[in-house]
Amino acid sequence: MEENQPVASMDLSSFEDGAQYIDGKLTGGSGFEPFDVVNPADGSTVQRVRLASTEDVDAAVAAARTALPGWSRATPGERSEVLLRLSAILTEHAEDFAAVETAQTGKPIRLSTEFDVPGTIDNTAFFAGAARNLEGKAAGEYSADHTSYVRREAIGVVGSISPWNYPLQMAAWKILPAIAAGNTIVLKPAELTPLTSVMFARACTLAGVPDGVVNVITGAGRSAGEHLVGHPDVAMVSFTGSTPVGKRVAEVATATVKRTHLELGGKAPFVVFDDADLDAAVHGAVAASLINSGQDCTAATRAYVQRPLYDAFVAGVAELYASVRLGDPRNPRTDLGPLVSYTHRDRVAGFVERARGYGATVVTGGATGSTGHDGTDLTRGAYYLPTLITGAAQDSEVVQGEIFGPVLVVLPFDSDDEGLRLANDTPYGLAASAWTRDVHRSLRATREIAAGCVWVNDHIPIISEMPHGGYKSSGYGKDMSQYSMDEYTQLKHVMFDTTAVARKDWHRTVFGDRG
Ligand code: NAD
């Protein structure tokens, strides 16, 4: 950056020089495979890029490795200072980030502007503080003859892989704790949505993050992604994505004995007890199932409603679903945009069609829609109407599988025991909510539901200070919060002899009386 050039005048969203960010520079890389980042609202090309080759991955890892000694020895205060600058730069470029995020994902601009971008800025400010707050056991004499202390050290080059649903936030969740703790990183975002991750890396450079500390590779999962995960110079792998791909990533990482952190799929239950505030539960279920078109790993997907409230709940959700405005994601009045791609829309539609086939009732939705609230031709985009399903069996695909679309399945339950049992009855355990005005019921639900987050009388909010991560097949490890710093650091026990005696007492175990 030129001296004194106002940061706001830099165009972070120009990709004329390519979409690989290696060693502090935007480059086209050495791959030849073209790839169109497509706006799913109308099928237009947002940006044509060339996908990374494995040589590009090697170059990014080499840059990260070279940058590691300097960055890992920077003081926490120095690392914190650049992160504070980064949060100011992101704030200056907030509109730009929101516009590109909406173009590449199709998410409503209201969501990008009010959730994705401010969430990322808040995360950045949080990790500026967290960088200065690493803790360990107190130094002391844990043996009479020694002083011990613990060093919390960076792990090395982190290889990260992120999904397409919240591309900017996922990039931030991966990059921020890793570099706050003194690691360097190579991030491979989902090929469908790489643009804001590259912009974020460019913003890091503007903020003063040294070249090579943050690298972004725009490439395909099976080639660039797997090459990164198996790279011998990558010390840790942090992955967010689906459970099947996460298993593959763990397999490849294990073969080279890397630490892994896996944030995987979800199928969040939404349990409504018969004393719940019905209006709150209905509004909560609609918002929590439709946020980001349901492409949210914590979205409400299975509502279990105690029998006395069941009919009213179904009717309330159906009525609100019908009032949701689909349309141009750039229109601030639009509630719901398209899904991320036509392929994904068809996948979601497939779940619903099969559910019809095995006898479930599609109460509302179950189609692609025709005209939006603002006249948008929905048939040109990857739109899918909010879809409410009842009458599905607990063991059916629509209840057990991750659909990742605007689809809510509602099932009744009778006793509290049954409701909690059904809530736990999938392989996933990322998030859940319980709706009740009874303190004992809510305490029991929060204790017994096996998930990394349980909300009471709400569903979705996240905050930088609190950990996010799964139980069961939703993975392990924590994003956000001070706990995420544990993922990205390793502990070293340092032990000093305090006796200055050449022949130590414990040598008797080897020398016996001859000691
Ligand atoms: P995905 O698993 O298909 O892809 C995720 C990433 O992995 C992409 O960058 C992809 O290119 C890469 N990839 C694919 N194959 C690979 C391989 N063999 N080796 C290395 N990388 C590979 O997931 P998606 O469709 O992009 O995202 C949706 C999924 O992400 C959902 O399952 C959702 O629940 C999950 N998700 C989880 C969280 C969480 O915090 N637990 C957050 C967001 C999304």
Side-chain angles (χ1 to χ4, degrees), residues 275-429:
D275 66 310
D277 176 338
L278 181 66
D279 186 47
V282 166
H283 276 81
V286 171
S289 59
L290 297 187
I291 184 166
N292 208 32
S293 296
Q295 301 164 123
D296 182 312
C297 50
T298 64
T301 58
R302 303 176 282 141
Y304 296 102
V305 184
Q306 210 153 17
R307 197 81 61 181
L309 294 189
Y310 178 80
D311 288 341
F313 180 88
V314 170
V317 171
E319 191 186 331
L320 270 187
Y321 266 14
S323 71
V324 166
R325 294 185 299 243
L326 278 79
D328 184 340
R330 293 168 304 179
N331 183 340
R333 283 175 44 78
T334 293
D335 301 325
L336 206 66
L339 298 181
V340 74
S341 69
Y342 299 93
T343 311
H344 185 58
R345 191 263 321 268
D346 293 346
R347 184 181 167 276
V348 169
F351 271 99
V352 178
E353 282 322 303
R354 289 191 294 279
R356 276 194 173 108
Y358 51 73
T361 304
V362 178
V363 178
T364 181
T368 53
S370 52
T371 307
H373 72 100
D374 50 3
T376 298
D377 176 2
L378 302 181
T379 62
R380 288 183 62 208
Y383 289 89
Y384 199 73
L385 297 176
T387 299
L388 182 61
I389 296 180
T390 58
Q394 173 65 19
D395 63 357
S396 64
E397 179 197 48
V398 83
V399 176
Q400 293 291 323
E402 191 180 31
I403 304 173
F404 227 52
V407 180
L408 180 68
V409 186
V410 189
L411 294 105
F413 68 91
D414 290 305
S415 68
D416 288 17
D417 284 352
E418 185 191 9
L420 294 174
R421 182 179 57 73
L422 293 171
N424 280 331
D425 180 29
T426 74
Y428 297 106

Side-chain angles (χ1 to χ4, degrees), residues 161-165 170 188-191 221-222 225-226 239-242 245 248-249 263-266 297 402 404 430 468:
I161 312 258
S162 58
W164 46 253
N165 61 338
M170 293 303 106
K188 193 208 81 63
E191 49 274 49
R222 287 235 180 86
E226 209 156 311
F239 172 84
T240 299
S242 63
V245 176
R248 173 69 191 147
V249 163
E263 297 285 357
L264 308 178
C297 50
E402 191 180 31
F404 227 52
L430 189 59
H468 168 89

Side-chain angles (χ1 to χ4, degrees), residues 211-231:
D211 292 351
V213 172
V214 175
N215 308 273
V216 175
I217 288 294
T218 296
R222 287 235 180 86
S223 50
E226 209 156 311
H227 190 66
L228 176 63
V229 171
H231 201 293

Side-chain angles (χ1 to χ4, degrees), residues 163-184:
W164 46 253
N165 61 338
Y166 292 103
L168 175 62
Q169 292 205 83
M170 293 303 106
W173 287 15
K174 297 293 172 212
I175 292 172
L176 292 167
I179 68 170
N183 304 281
T184 58

